[in-house]
Amino acid sequence: MALSQDVDAISLSFSGFGVDEKSIVTILGKWKPEERKSFRKGCEFFSNDDDRHFEKWNTDHMAVLKREFSRFKNAVVMWTMHPWERDARLAKEALIKETRSYDIIIEIACTRSSEELLGARKAYHSLFDHSIEEDVASHVDGSKRNLFVALVSAYRYEGSKVNDETAKSEAKMLCKAIKNAKTQNPIENEEVVRILSTRSKLHLKAIFKHYKEMCGKTLDEDLEDGSSLEKAVQCLSSPQAYFSKVLSASLKSGADEKTKVALTRVVATRADHDMKVIKEEFQKENGVSLSQKINETTHGNYKTFLLDLIERAA
Amino acid sequence: MALSQDVDAISLSFSGFGVDEKSIVTILGKWKPEERKSFRKGCEFFSNDDDRHFEKWNTDHMAVLKREFSRFKNAVVMWTMHPWERDARLAKEALIKETRSYDIIIEIACTRSSEELLGARKAYHSLFDHSIEEDVASHVDGSKRNLFVALVSAYRYEGSKVNDETAKSEAKMLCKAIKNAKTQNPIENEEVVRILSTRSKLHLKAIFKHYKEMCGKTLDEDLEDGSSLEKAVQCLSSPQAYFSKVLSASLKSGADEKTKVALTRVVATRADHDMKVIKEEFQKENGVSLSQKINETTHGNYKTFLLDLIERAA
């Protein structure tokens, strides 16, 4: 049955991210009205198929079609936007979206330079008639709120001076907070919040080093898996390894949409910055190059565009 | 006795602030070594005198002499400095001085524009190899710390958009926090800190208006007298009235040195900004003009300089 083969082909063109525009044009272009209708409504031969994408299609083909087409558009828009505006919009979207991607707030607050974060705060004022910290405070719930507000309000010192004694005593404070995690969630510990949100990144590096020497494990290993605090520590201590992890997750088969959109975001925001190191981290983590993985997983213009961006940082 | 008369004359030249350089030159210039010695060490005829300044002199004449001479120098230096550097240095001094003039931190954090405060934070980085929030966090004690760190980290939206419904509900939150003041000090209340440190000044104005309508009194009337929270609310709601109060206190006879130094600070930092309105507030509060009061209280070059600065804003 021709339709079935066509749907197979289309499925393939959507199997990862983006759209293989050429196949779409070829296949959809020749479909008759009833074929398009059965494609839209979902056909019986989909439901018995094991492929997840088929099931998804059944529920809402058109939404998927739109989404996959918009992936390329989003990438282009995100790449073209001024970085401050981009971060402001990413933060706003993370706050208001139903999926509540608060990790993006942490990512922006902790991986940008002081000037970059400040620029995003300025852009946020003019775009949304609010400060980002106001919106964070009113969206993020109780236990996390102090940390989040403090992180987005940071304007860290970026010079080279580090007081190693202070770093040591603050590593001790963190140790203690982690040990007491059962009585108080470290994210609610004032000292933890203060240290992570006010100290310079070099100072934090010294703290994390002392922490490991004192406690055996690294701080992020000691934190609850997937917690906001763990994310913050990863972003602050090794942003490129963090970005590599986000990319790996987004490129895993079966990733949900919330995880998948990170691919565009990370590539568009880091291509001009630390993509070279992120690529090295990715290779180390996955045993395959980021380019190859993107090449296997994405399609069409979206793929070409992403590969162009990550190959700029050769 | 000539020395006694001379000391009277000198006392007069020090009776307020600054030094009447001309009398000093005339009187001290003709003193013989033993007269200068008895002036330095303090003489018996001082101790029975009721005049406070005499008593003070007895304890440390030379320190007073130095201090009064430096008042003019400090005013010139403070006026000449770049506003960002000035605020950064004022903040640093407030944090490390034994007198702990934390009010100055609140004054800087709450009366400056977003850009001005940010400028001070930048200057602080380059001058002291730390962020101001790091230093605030390590100097200011427990209950006040969160408020202080949040205030100095603020980068408030300065546009005209205000959501009156939100303002109303936040006025209600403040009401509740004040009512519960006995069980929890409002300065430790997370919502109070969030509202005061993240909301735009126009939004706060709307909140304060609703607060008065709901609770009868204004928020700063409801706060503990002289508390950091009261200072913050005054600085945020009516900075010029706040500055006028600081000036009045500094010009009161018998003011201690910590209170007196504010005269130089307020004149030097506000002369280019809102001195006109501050002068109006001062006249309203004291029934005498700021110029007249300064004219009566200060001396010599210091006086001339202050009057010049405040008369710029005619």
Side-chain angles (χ1 to χ4, degrees):
Chain A
M1 190 185 174
L3 183 58
S4 162
Q5 281 160 18
D6 285 352
V7 170
D8 281 354
I10 293 186
S11 307
L12 190 67
S13 84
F14 281 93
S15 64
F17 300 70
V19 178
D20 183 347
E21 289 87 355
K22 269 191 204 154
S23 339
I24 291 282
V25 169
T26 318
I27 297 166
L28 289 193
K30 63 177 185 176
W31 275 1
K32 300 196 187 84
E34 61 271 28
E35 285 169 328
R36 291 205 298 279
K37 191 177 166 193
S38 70
F39 170 70
R40 277 196 305 275
K41 300 271 175 190
C43 305
E44 283 201 358
F45 61 76
F46 284 158
S47 47
N48 290 328
D49 201 295
D50 275 333
D51 190 318
R52 283 173 185 231
H53 299 286
F54 274 63
E55 283 169 29
K56 239 185 186 170
W57 276 38
N58 274 335
T59 60
D60 196 350
H61 299 151
M62 299 316 293
V64 174
L65 197 62
K66 283 182 192 161
R67 190 189 66 206
E68 292 308 318
F69 270 111
S70 70
R71 230 184 266 282
F72 173 55
K73 182 200 73 183
N74 290 345
V76 173
V77 170
M78 214 183 266
W79 167 249
T80 316
M81 231 187 275
H82 188 287
W84 297 355
E85 178 177 355
R86 181 168 62 205
D87 280 348
R89 290 194 186 277
L90 281 168
K92 183 70 175 184
E93 206 188 0
L95 286 171
I96 59 173
K97 248 197 177 167
E98 275 167 41
T99 46
R100 301 287 153 102
S101 315
Y102 293 156
D103 293 354
I104 297 176
I105 306 285
I106 292 182
E107 182 179 303
I108 293 171
C110 300
T111 67
R112 289 359 178 202
S113 73
S114 299
E115 282 306 316
E116 286 166 351
L117 175 56
L118 178 71
R121 293 171 79 187
K122 288 185 184 179
Y124 203 97
H125 283 195
S126 27
L127 290 167
F128 308 118
D129 291 315
H130 266 110
S131 66
I132 184 168
E133 50 273 29
E134 276 174 288
D135 280 355
V136 166
S138 63
H139 283 93
V140 179
D141 73 52
S143 73
K144 293 176 187 172
R145 191 166 78 171
N146 284 348
L147 177 73
F148 275 70
V149 171
L151 288 177
V152 296
S153 304
Y155 184 75
R156 296 174 200 271
Y157 164 66
E158 291 181 328
S160 58
K161 290 270 173 65
V162 171
N163 183 327
D164 202 59
E165 276 314 299
T166 313
K168 211 172 200 167
S169 85
E170 290 179 341
K172 217 176 270 175
M173 286 179 194
L174 293 179
C175 269
K176 212 175 137 191
I178 298 295
K179 266 189 202 143
N180 293 334
K182 273 183 190 156
T183 45
Q184 184 191 35
N185 185 339
I187 207 170
E188 294 174 10
N189 183 306
E190 246 183 48
E191 295 296 333
V192 173
V193 171
R194 173 185 67 79
I195 293 168
L196 295 183
S197 64
T198 69
R199 290 304 187 190
S200 78
K201 296 199 181 160
L202 274 183
H203 185 99
L204 287 171
K205 203 176 165 184
I207 292 181
F208 297 149
K209 200 190 93 223
H210 285 300
Y211 185 96
K212 207 189 162 187
E213 285 166 12
M214 285 175 193
C215 308
K217 285 188 186 172
T218 63
L219 177 56
D220 64 300
E221 284 168 350
D222 273 345
L223 287 164
E224 191 197 331
D225 223 35
S227 70
S228 301
L229 213 47
E230 189 206 31
K231 288 264 156 55
V233 170
Q234 286 174 346
C235 285
L236 289 164
S237 63
S238 42
Q240 291 80 26
Y242 160 82
F243 282 124
S244 160
K245 265 188 208 124
V246 173
L247 288 173
S248 308
S250 77
L251 287 160
K252 273 217 175 76
S253 73
D256 61 12
E257 185 52 25
K258 188 178 160 183
T259 313
K260 272 170 134 185
V261 287
L263 175 61
T264 309
R265 180 180 85 244
V266 173
V267 172
T269 58
R270 307 320 297 171
D272 272 341
H273 287 84
D274 44 6
M275 187 48 84
K276 193 169 170 287
V277 187
I278 295 172
K279 280 156 70 178
E280 290 162 13
E281 289 286 343
F282 190 94
Q283 174 81 44
K284 227 185 332 176
E285 188 190 342
N286 299 283
V288 50
S289 76
L290 178 59
S291 307
Q292 196 183 326
K293 188 74 189 171
I294 288 181
N295 195 32
E296 287 164 17
T297 322
T298 62
H299 299 287
N301 291 331
Y302 181 64
K303 164 157 73 182
T304 315
F305 191 61
L306 290 188
L307 290 176
D308 275 0
L309 290 189
I310 67 162
E311 271 148 29
R312 287 163 62 97
Chain B
M1 193 188 172
L3 182 58
S4 161
Q5 281 161 19
D6 284 353
V7 170
D8 281 355
I10 292 185
S11 307
L12 191 69
S13 84
F14 280 93
S15 64
F17 301 70
V19 178
D20 181 347
E21 289 87 354
K22 268 190 203 156
S23 337
I24 292 280
V25 169
T26 317
I27 298 166
L28 289 192
K30 64 176 186 175
W31 275 1
K32 300 197 186 81
E34 62 270 28
E35 285 169 328
R36 292 205 296 280
K37 190 177 167 193
S38 70
F39 169 72
R40 278 197 304 275
K41 299 273 173 189
C43 306
E44 283 202 356
F45 62 75
F46 285 155
S47 47
N48 291 326
D49 199 296
D50 274 332
D51 189 317
R52 282 171 184 233
H53 299 287
F54 273 63
E55 283 169 31
K56 236 184 187 173
W57 276 39
N58 274 335
T59 59
D60 197 349
H61 299 150
M62 300 316 295
V64 174
L65 197 63
K66 281 182 193 161
R67 190 190 67 206
E68 292 309 317
F69 270 111
S70 70
R71 231 183 265 282
F72 172 56
K73 182 201 73 184
N74 289 344
V76 173
V77 170
M78 215 183 266
W79 167 251
T80 316
M81 231 187 275
H82 189 287
W84 296 357
E85 178 177 355
R86 181 168 62 204
D87 281 347
R89 290 193 186 277
L90 281 168
K92 183 70 173 183
E93 204 188 3
L95 287 171
I96 59 172
K97 249 197 175 168
E98 277 167 40
T99 48
R100 301 286 153 102
S101 315
Y102 293 157
D103 293 353
I104 297 176
I105 305 287
I106 292 183
E107 181 179 304
I108 293 171
C110 298
T111 68
R112 294 348 183 210
S113 73
S114 300
E115 282 306 316
E116 286 167 349
L117 175 57
L118 177 73
R121 293 170 81 186
K122 289 185 182 178
Y124 204 98
H125 282 194
S126 27
L127 289 167
F128 308 119
D129 292 315
H130 267 108
S131 67
I132 182 168
E133 50 273 29
E134 277 175 286
D135 279 356
V136 166
S138 63
H139 282 93
V140 178
D141 73 52
S143 72
K144 293 176 186 172
R145 191 166 79 170
N146 283 348
L147 177 73
F148 275 69
V149 171
L151 288 177
V152 297
S153 304
Y155 184 73
R156 297 175 200 271
Y157 165 66
E158 291 180 328
S160 58
K161 289 271 173 62
V162 171
N163 182 327
D164 202 59
E165 277 314 300
T166 313
K168 211 172 200 168
S169 86
E170 291 181 339
K172 217 177 270 176
M173 286 179 193
L174 292 179
C175 268
K176 212 175 136 193
I178 298 294
K179 266 190 201 141
N180 293 335
K182 273 183 190 159
T183 45
Q184 185 191 34
N185 186 339
I187 207 170
E188 293 173 11
N189 184 305
E190 245 183 48
E191 293 296 333
V192 173
V193 171
R194 172 186 67 80
I195 293 169
L196 294 182
S197 64
T198 68
R199 289 305 186 190
S200 79
K201 295 199 181 161
L202 275 184
H203 184 98
L204 287 171
K205 204 177 163 183
I207 292 181
F208 297 149
K209 201 189 90 222
H210 286 300
Y211 185 95
K212 208 191 161 185
E213 286 166 11
M214 285 174 194
C215 307
K217 286 186 185 175
T218 64
L219 177 56
D220 63 302
E221 284 168 349
D222 273 344
L223 287 164
E224 192 197 331
D225 224 36
S227 70
S228 301
L229 212 47
E230 189 207 30
K231 288 265 156 54
V233 170
Q234 287 174 346
C235 285
L236 290 164
S237 63
S238 42
Q240 291 82 24
Y242 160 83
F243 282 124
S244 159
K245 265 188 206 125
V246 173
L247 288 173
S248 308
S250 77
L251 288 159
K252 273 219 176 75
S253 72
D256 62 13
E257 186 51 26
K258 189 177 160 184
T259 314
K260 272 170 133 187
V261 288
L263 176 61
T264 309
R265 180 181 84 245
V266 173
V267 172
T269 57
R270 306 320 297 170
D272 272 342
H273 287 85
D274 45 5
M275 188 48 85
K276 194 168 169 289
V277 188
I278 295 173
K279 278 156 72 177
E280 290 162 11
E281 290 285 343
F282 190 93
Q283 174 82 45
K284 225 185 337 178
E285 189 190 343
N286 299 283
V288 49
S289 76
L290 178 60
S291 307
Q292 196 183 326
K293 188 73 188 173
I294 288 181
N295 196 32
E296 287 165 17
T297 322
T298 62
H299 299 288
N301 291 330
Y302 181 63
K303 163 156 77 181
T304 315
F305 190 61
L306 290 188
L307 289 177
D308 275 1
L309 291 189
I310 67 163
E311 272 148 28
R312 288 163 62 96

